Amino acid sequence: MMMSRGATRVAGSMMGRVGPGFFSTLTIRASAGDSITGVSWFGGSDRVAAMMGVRNGSTMTLDEKEQHEENIPGTAGSAGGTSGGDGKGKDVVSYWGVEPAKVIKEDGTQWKWNSFRPWETYEADLKIDLKKHHTPVTFLDKVAFWTVKALRFPTDVFFQRRYGCRAMMLETVAAVPGMVGGMLLHCKSLRRFEHSGGWIKALLEEAENERMHLMTFMEVAKPRWYERALVFTVQGVFFNAYFLGYLASPKFAHRVVGYLEEEAIHSYTEFLKELDKGTIENVPAPAIAMDYWRMPPNSTLRDVVVVVRADEAHHRDVNHFASDIHYQGHELKDSPAPLGYH
């Protein structure tokens, strides 16, 4: 008992001395080339304090990181720093050795986008048939068709002829089905220890392509505060509804997306009519669009709408095709996915 109490007092004394160094948020800093001096917690050299007192950069607060980077030459916070991708990034200080690759374009200039790389860009296939339509025959097809038609009515009332904002807002929803479908197929592949036939990648490609549509239209239409609030509501409801719908019936879920893409083609066609009439100003194409679709330097907003409409037509075909596979009694993995179809 006496030894136990003595040990407790010794432990408490040690924690009183060592605890603040281990558990406090105090950071001991030193600029490059300076030695670190401080309290020697264990009666040893100051190197122990240096080892135990300086926290990893990943646990620093934002203010601490900014002050820390200002003292390190070559970082974004110092005079010699370089900007990250998308024109807004900053170099990151880390000892993990994960160095971002510097990508050079064909003309010798540095690639400025972090969200996508040159090998992910492409020239849109503008020859695709925009008038193709899947006539609903079965009960599920009719439910999918009229569900999409019902969703179009409040959209027309809310946005009316503001096609720039309409496109931007709808892309926040259009990027959901591919991600949900790809995620569920990914989990299914893991559970069943089987391949997916490339459909996981195909659906995630669709989601990423739709997201790039959003990143593009954000450059030409700025959302208002209530439109941002609407995104939270609509995306939350649609994500969960589509998630449950895909679990219940993948053929129904893909058919819904096929009809959604048909409506998207119609919306972008109306967008083009407004541009041609001069109701909407045909401004120069955003830089991100010109790089992503490899568009010529003199491209305009009209050219962007044309390539986006072509993308939607490809997504229409892929999702109707996926639904047909299920209707014919097969699973998606039984048919090779149309990777890179757009």
Side-chain angles (χ1 to χ4, degrees):
M1 179 67 71
M2 294 293 293
M3 292 182 64
S4 176
R5 291 179 179 175
T8 301
R9 286 195 294 270
V10 172
S13 177
M14 290 182 65
M15 288 302 294
R17 294 173 178 270
V18 179
F22 275 112
F23 303 110
S24 74
T25 58
L26 175 64
T27 302
I28 300 177
R29 299 188 186 85
S31 58
D34 293 343
S35 61
I36 298 178
T37 59
V39 180
S40 181
W41 296 329
F42 300 106
S45 68
D46 291 338
R47 287 178 296 176
V48 178
M51 293 170 59
M52 306 304 295
V54 180
R55 294 207 314 275
N56 185 298
S58 62
T59 62
M60 292 181 181
T61 64
L62 178 61
D63 291 339
E64 288 175 335
K65 287 181 179 180
E66 291 175 350
Q67 185 175 352
H68 183 62
E69 290 175 0
E70 289 176 357
N71 296 327
I72 300 179
T75 64
S78 65
T82 57
S83 175
D86 298 1
K88 301 177 182 179
K90 294 174 67 177
D91 287 345
V92 178
V93 179
S94 174
Y95 67 82
W96 296 107
V98 181
E99 296 292 338
K102 290 186 177 181
V103 182
I104 305 299
K105 296 173 64 174
E106 295 178 355
D107 59 6
T109 59
Q110 185 173 344
W111 185 258
K112 62 181 179 179
W113 308 107
N114 280 344
S115 53
F116 64 100
R117 296 303 194 187
W119 50 87
E120 298 174 302
T121 64
Y122 63 97
E123 294 182 13
D125 175 19
L126 303 180
K127 298 179 181 179
I128 189 167
D129 186 358
L130 300 172
K131 298 181 180 179
K132 289 170 64 177
H133 167 66
H134 180 274
T135 303
V137 177
T138 67
F139 173 75
L140 279 182
D141 278 0
K142 293 178 180 178
V143 172
F145 177 79
W146 288 111
T147 297
V148 173
K149 287 295 184 183
L151 292 174
R152 178 181 170 181
F153 176 74
T155 304
D156 290 341
V157 172
F158 185 82
F159 293 105
Q160 297 182 2
R161 314 300 291 181
R162 296 186 299 123
Y163 286 101
C165 291
R166 182 190 184 112
M168 180 189 61
M169 297 295 292
L170 293 183
E171 294 296 351
T172 64
V173 174
V176 170
M179 181 60 66
V180 173
M183 175 187 68
L184 290 176
L185 287 180
H186 174 77
C187 293
K188 181 179 180 180
S189 175
L190 298 178
R191 290 195 308 270
R192 295 189 176 183
F193 305 96
E194 63 184 16
H195 292 285
S196 69
W199 279 95
I200 296 174
K201 187 174 182 180
L203 293 178
L204 293 182
E205 278 185 352
E206 176 187 314
E208 174 64 10
N209 182 246
E210 297 283 12
R211 191 186 67 85
M212 289 303 300
H213 294 174
L214 172 62
M215 296 298 105
T216 297
F217 285 114
M218 281 181 60
E219 299 295 324
V220 296
K222 302 299 181 183
R224 300 167 184 174
W225 68 267
Y226 58 84
E227 291 172 335
R228 290 179 179 271
L230 182 65
V231 169
F232 276 89
T233 304
V234 174
Q235 190 183 77
V237 172
F238 184 74
F239 181 95
N240 289 283
Y242 190 79
F243 178 86
L244 295 175
Y246 202 100
L247 286 176
S249 175
K251 61 184 175 183
F252 170 74
H254 281 293
R255 191 69 79 198
V256 167
V257 179
Y259 287 131
L260 281 174
E261 300 295 357
E262 290 185 16
E263 290 297 330
I265 295 171
H266 172 76
S267 295
Y268 284 118
T269 300
E270 295 299 312
F271 195 169
L272 288 173
K273 290 179 181 178
E274 296 298 316
L275 285 167
D276 292 339
K277 289 190 300 184
T279 308
I280 300 176
E281 183 181 0
N282 191 23
V283 298
I288 189 172
M290 294 174 65
D291 282 340
Y292 184 68
W293 284 286
R294 302 178 188 172
M295 303 172 71
N298 59 344
S299 298
T300 63
L301 176 59
R302 190 186 192 284
D303 299 316
V304 173
V305 175
V306 168
V307 296
V308 170
R309 184 178 63 171
D311 284 349
E312 305 294 5
H314 287 84
H315 299 326
R316 171 203 63 192
D317 294 353
V318 170
N319 280 277
H320 279 316
F321 173 57
S323 184
D324 289 345
I325 293 174
H326 285 289
Y327 266 107
Q328 295 173 20
H330 304 291
E331 294 190 22
L332 292 183
K333 66 182 180 66
D334 299 329
S335 179
L339 293 172
Y341 176 59
H342 63 272

